Amino acid sequence: LLRHFSSIGFWGLVNNAGISTFGETGWLSMEKYEKFADVNLLGSIRTTLAFLPLLRKYKGRIVFMSSIIAYFALGNGIYSMTKAAIEKFCDALRLEMKKFGVRVCIIQPGNYARSTKIQPPVSAEEIWNELSEEEKAVYNKEYVQERANFFNSILSEGSTNGSEVVDAMVDALTSPAPKARYMVAKLKEKVLVFVCALFPTVVMDSVLSYALSK
């Protein structure tokens, strides 16, 4: 494969693979954590390392699909964890590739669940049935149902205009001066990121706790 591209040139790599799920920290098995890290984080790293020689040779572009959820978590900490890790991997890679003329760009979409179908609606019954006896002793079905309803309401608010994210990816690949980060999100989502980035953690925790309690 690499020999084939060596003869025709290789310009851009887009790391777009990703999976998502819902659940509080203790609700998820270690196997699920490993699966998400393998697909969302290590999968992108493996692909990048495989094509890095060609990208350096042709001074190409590397685009990573992150998310605004890299800044905060609302019931999907496992997904947030992998996206935060991708952000740091890209920060290191971007600086290292600068001397080779390779640009590294991050796409940070907001809620596009209705466009991508990355996260199907969650079932409180299925979540409850998969909980360990220890977790069932701490939580109850009503709490799980409330969390599921909250998360499903977020999914239902997702944008259906996925072309906005595609446009950002195209710009990252073709622009003479691509951005390091493309945040493609609604105003209220950008405000949430702004609060998370600039305000003390206690402020963000209060905002998110209020949202979770509604």
Side-chain angles (χ1 to χ4, degrees), residues 107 161-175 182 184:
I107 312 296
N161 191 9
S163 61
E164 296 170 342
V165 181
V166 176
D167 289 344
M169 295 165 69
V170 171
D171 191 82
L173 287 169
T174 62
S175 172
Y182 291 79
V184 190

Side-chain angles (χ1 to χ4, degrees), residues 46-207:
R46 277 192 293 266
T47 306
T48 299
L49 294 179
F51 287 98
L52 209 51
L54 287 175
L55 290 160
R56 284 194 295 249
K57 179 179 180 180
Y58 293 103
K59 302 184 187 303
R61 305 278 174 88
I62 315 175
V63 180
F64 290 84
M65 187 60 63
S66 180
S67 170
I68 63 166
I69 209 72
Y71 294 93
F72 56 87
L74 279 173
N76 55 348
I78 191 170
Y79 184 70
S80 178
M81 171 193 75
T82 60
K83 293 306 181 181
I86 277 290
E87 293 265 345
K88 293 303 107 182
F89 175 74
C90 291
D91 285 343
L93 186 66
R94 184 178 62 255
L95 291 175
E96 294 166 2
M97 290 297 104
K98 193 172 182 180
K99 56 183 172 288
F100 299 108
V102 176
R103 302 293 188 95
V104 178
C105 305
I106 303 171
I107 312 296
Q108 299 173 315
N111 183 1
Y112 283 86
R114 292 171 64 196
S115 299
T116 64
K117 302 294 190 289
I118 189 174
Q119 172 68 62
V122 298
S123 164
E125 190 68 26
E126 289 180 9
I127 294 169
W128 179 259
N129 291 337
E130 291 178 1
L131 292 185
S132 66
E133 292 305 316
E134 291 83 357
E135 294 300 307
K136 286 181 178 179
V138 175
Y139 298 95
N140 55 50
K141 285 188 176 181
E142 289 74 19
Y143 179 84
V144 174
Q145 186 66 64
E146 288 174 1
R147 294 298 93 218
N149 292 344
F150 170 78
F151 195 67
N152 285 335
S153 70
I154 292 178
L155 295 178
S156 69
E157 295 173 0
S159 173
T160 57
N161 191 9
S163 61
E164 296 170 342
V165 181
V166 176
D167 289 344
M169 295 165 69
V170 171
D171 191 82
L173 287 169
T174 62
S175 172
K179 301 176 184 178
R181 283 176 167 83
Y182 291 79
M183 186 172 293
V184 190
K186 297 175 183 176
L187 178 59
K188 67 178 183 179
E189 293 171 329
K190 291 180 178 180
V191 169
L192 198 56
V193 171
F194 176 81
V195 172
C196 185
L198 298 182
F199 283 69
T201 301
V202 66
V203 174
M204 192 61 186
D205 285 353
S206 297
V207 171

